[in-house]
Amino acid sequence: MTDTRQAADDLAHIRAMMDRSRKVTVFGGHYFVAWGLLIALALAGTWLVDIGRLGVDPLWIWAGAVGAGWAYSILAGRR
């Protein structure tokens, strides 16, 4: 088998794997980025409460972050 034919077969195999994995993947990367940002903001808010710069119960910070994440996930999932 020539190198060109081998390369074409390899690319076809990789393309087939990518097509199969696309059907399995439910969430794109934007979900993880959005949730990561929300968690980072909630952690920063909790830290501000801990050092006395923010006079809010951390439960409200986390409830807001989780609620915003759920809302984003629901809205983005409908698209």
Side-chain angles (χ1 to χ4, degrees):
M1 187 178 273
T2 65
D3 290 337
T4 306
R5 183 68 187 145
Q6 180 67 38
D9 288 344
D10 290 346
L11 286 174
H13 179 69
I14 292 169
R15 185 174 291 126
M17 283 192 315
M18 289 174 61
D19 287 340
R20 284 192 306 266
S21 69
R22 218 176 264 136
K23 295 173 187 170
V24 174
T25 305
V26 177
F27 297 110
H30 60 91
Y31 286 101
F32 299 113
V33 171
W35 276 99
L37 288 172
L38 286 169
I39 289 170
L41 289 172
L43 284 170
T46 303
W47 176 70
L48 288 173
V49 169
D50 192 43
I51 64 171
R53 299 275 176 129
L54 194 60
V56 177
D57 188 351
L59 177 65
W60 291 110
I61 295 171
W62 285 97
V66 170
W70 283 350
Y72 174 75
S73 295
I74 290 168
L75 292 174
R78 289 185 180 177
R79 283 188 243 156

